[in-house]
Amino acid sequence: MKASRMYYSQLKNYLDDLAGKKPAPGGGSAAAFSAALAVSLLSMVANFTVGKEKFKAVEAEIKKSLALSEDLRLRLLALVDEDVAGYKKVAAAYKLPKESAEDKKKRGVEIEKALKEALAAPFAVCKCCHQAIKLCPVLAEKGNVNLVSDVGVAVVLLESAFQSGLINVEINLNGIKDQGFIVEIRGALEPLQEEAQELKETVWPLVKNKMKPIA
Amino acid sequence: MKASRMYYSQLKNYLDDLAGKKPAPGGGSAAAFSAALAVSLLSMVANFTVGKEKFKAVEAEIKKSLALSEDLRLRLLALVDEDVAGYKKVAAAYKLPKESAEDKKKRGVEIEKALKEALAAPFAVCKCCHQAIKLCPVLAEKGNVNLVSDVGVAVVLLESAFQSGLINVEINLNGIKDQGFIVEIRGALEPLQEEAQELKETVWPLVKNKMKPIA
């Protein structure tokens, strides 16, 4: 049993911090990491497709997907930490003094600023998920069929990571007073969410039809 | 920037292995870890609820949730590795010689056995996700409202991890010949999936109504 615990101790510290009574990491960071898991699966599918005679005709296309999924993977991994950093600034702003009218005004300005900054990480998670979901149709159609179930897992996890990012964008927007900013952010995410949803519904039947045992 | 990279290097190795040209870890392992992220968020919500005067009336109930979410968290983390081990046995069985009729017969038996064993990990992921989703209504209703968005992220991630587990159960079932076993496994998961789905649809409006900025 022990020999098989390759990843347990590597991954436990992050989960302990996520689960514990610490203000961060929280949901935004977890969303980023869940998306990173999904994108890693896309890279895996591409890695098992390129360099094989059987897939030579699609090699250039799959290589392009791989380059993008690898970029997104490292970007999402960085967002696991960036979300924590953003959240800490918000928490610090809420702790500013609120005795005098001047204090209150300054605190309000700082909170607004910190919330806008903190929103950047989950906003980026949504954007990365959207870009990653766009890679799924080609990988489901043209990638190594033995790994098509991994495309299926990826698309399901990406859609939920998008939603999770969105929840964290909204929780920040709830504290923001700048109505123009709120409209802008929601307006930017809405079409991405729709497209992500549509792509998921396109990819899913492709995956289901192609699922067969590893051989 | 460097100081904020707390988790990057801890988590990168697993992602590298997931993304790389290695037969495992794959989708089943990623599903387990995504579920572990979600369950960690449930523990966080509980940890920020217990011990507070304001939540004294629900403390016993939340503590029970916490005990279960902590069990599930470590179980899911173990499943990240167990899925890898199960997959390796399947891959080894497929590599057995298939020259003579006797070889073929033996290989078939070993593949069937390995697939049934390998299915145990994603099956357990589904069961853990189902148990974890059952904790969400009480945490959304009675847990610290400042963390209600984390319950939202958890329920979304748990539902997708359940689906991802299911995909990996199916990919193993596709290679299994024992029809009784197939019926049994599908029959066991179907009601869990339905209940998980229903619970998600119950929890989601609760979360949405309660979402407000961190204070």
Side-chain angles (χ1 to χ4, degrees):
Chain A
M1 198 53 166
K2 275 213 176 139
S4 77
R5 293 214 158 175
M6 278 181 72
Y7 301 112
Y8 195 94
S9 56
Q10 291 173 31
L11 300 172
K12 190 169 183 294
N13 180 58
Y14 177 67
L15 286 190
D16 286 346
D17 283 359
L18 196 59
K21 200 174 173 177
K22 294 187 173 194
S29 177
F33 198 62
S34 190
L37 293 170
V39 172
S40 301
L41 293 175
L42 296 182
S43 290
M44 174 174 70
V45 177
N47 274 320
F48 274 99
T49 307
V50 299
K52 282 196 203 292
E53 194 53 40
K54 202 177 154 188
F55 299 105
K56 210 163 184 183
V58 296
E59 171 135 343
E61 201 175 354
I62 302 294
K63 270 191 176 166
K64 246 176 86 180
S65 293
L66 179 57
L68 187 51
S69 66
E70 283 300 274
D71 277 354
L72 290 171
R73 182 166 77 86
L74 298 181
R75 179 76 194 103
L76 284 161
L77 181 54
L79 284 166
V80 170
D81 282 315
E82 286 174 28
D83 189 77
V84 174
Y87 187 90
K88 282 183 179 166
K89 281 184 190 167
V90 172
Y94 274 107
K95 278 184 190 144
L96 287 173
K98 45 180 177 178
E99 308 305 314
S100 67
E102 202 189 335
D103 279 352
K104 277 183 194 162
K105 199 183 159 190
K106 202 194 157 208
R107 181 173 175 269
V109 170
E110 291 300 320
I111 289 172
E112 180 95 353
K113 197 178 139 216
L115 285 170
K116 283 183 180 178
E117 281 177 23
L119 180 148
F123 184 85
V125 169
C126 291
K127 290 198 86 164
C128 289
C129 287
H130 172 256
Q131 283 185 275
I133 287 182
K134 289 209 291 187
L135 301 176
C136 293
V138 63
L139 289 169
E141 272 177 65
K142 301 178 185 172
N144 188 331
V145 69
N146 292 337
L147 288 90
V148 76
S149 70
D150 295 295
V151 182
V153 171
V155 79
V156 166
L157 293 183
L158 284 169
E159 199 215 3
S160 67
F162 189 110
Q163 281 187 62
S164 302
L166 207 55
I167 293 171
N168 283 279
V169 167
E170 282 296 329
I171 205 82
N172 283 295
L173 287 182
N174 281 349
I176 288 173
K177 293 191 178 76
D178 180 347
Q179 291 303 312
F181 181 82
I182 294 174
V183 169
E184 187 192 324
I185 293 294
R186 287 195 180 137
L189 289 178
E190 208 171 296
L192 302 190
Q193 190 186 13
E194 275 171 26
E195 200 185 357
Q197 186 68 38
E198 278 167 25
L199 282 165
K200 189 204 159 188
E201 278 153 29
T202 311
V203 171
W204 190 236
L206 284 175
V207 169
K208 248 191 149 172
N209 288 337
K210 289 179 102 174
M211 271 198 3
K212 56 177 194 177
I214 36 181
Chain B
M1 199 52 166
K2 278 220 174 131
S4 77
R5 294 216 157 173
M6 278 180 72
Y7 300 112
Y8 195 94
S9 54
Q10 292 173 30
L11 300 172
K12 191 170 183 293
N13 179 59
Y14 177 68
L15 287 189
D16 286 347
D17 283 358
L18 196 58
K21 200 175 174 177
K22 294 186 173 194
S29 178
F33 198 62
S34 189
L37 293 170
V39 172
S40 301
L41 293 175
L42 297 182
S43 289
M44 175 174 71
V45 177
N47 274 320
F48 274 100
T49 307
V50 299
K52 282 196 202 293
E53 194 53 41
K54 203 176 154 188
F55 299 106
K56 211 162 184 182
V58 296
E59 171 136 341
E61 200 175 354
I62 302 293
K63 270 190 174 167
K64 246 175 85 179
S65 292
L66 179 57
L68 187 52
S69 66
E70 283 300 275
D71 278 353
L72 290 170
R73 182 166 78 86
L74 298 182
R75 180 76 194 102
L76 284 160
L77 182 53
L79 285 165
V80 170
D81 282 315
E82 286 174 28
D83 189 76
V84 174
Y87 187 91
K88 283 182 178 166
K89 282 184 189 166
V90 173
Y94 274 106
K95 279 185 189 143
L96 287 173
K98 44 181 178 177
E99 308 305 314
S100 65
E102 202 189 335
D103 278 352
K104 276 183 194 161
K105 198 182 160 190
K106 201 194 158 208
R107 181 174 175 267
V109 170
E110 290 300 320
I111 289 173
E112 180 96 353
K113 196 179 138 212
L115 285 169
K116 284 183 179 177
E117 281 178 25
L119 180 148
F123 185 84
V125 169
C126 291
K127 290 197 84 162
C128 289
C129 287
H130 172 256
Q131 283 185 276
I133 288 183
K134 290 210 291 188
L135 301 176
C136 294
V138 63
L139 288 169
E141 272 176 64
K142 301 178 186 173
N144 190 330
V145 68
N146 292 336
L147 287 90
V148 76
S149 70
D150 295 296
V151 182
V153 171
V155 79
V156 167
L157 293 183
L158 284 168
E159 199 215 3
S160 66
F162 189 110
Q163 281 187 62
S164 302
L166 207 54
I167 292 169
N168 283 279
V169 167
E170 281 296 330
I171 205 80
N172 283 294
L173 286 183
N174 281 350
I176 288 174
K177 294 193 178 75
D178 180 348
Q179 291 303 311
F181 181 82
I182 295 174
V183 169
E184 187 193 324
I185 292 295
R186 287 196 180 135
L189 290 178
E190 209 172 296
L192 303 189
Q193 189 185 15
E194 275 172 27
E195 199 185 359
Q197 186 68 38
E198 278 167 26
L199 281 165
K200 190 205 158 186
E201 277 153 29
T202 311
V203 170
W204 189 237
L206 283 175
V207 169
K208 249 192 147 169
N209 288 336
K210 288 178 104 173
M211 271 199 3
K212 56 178 194 177
I214 35 183

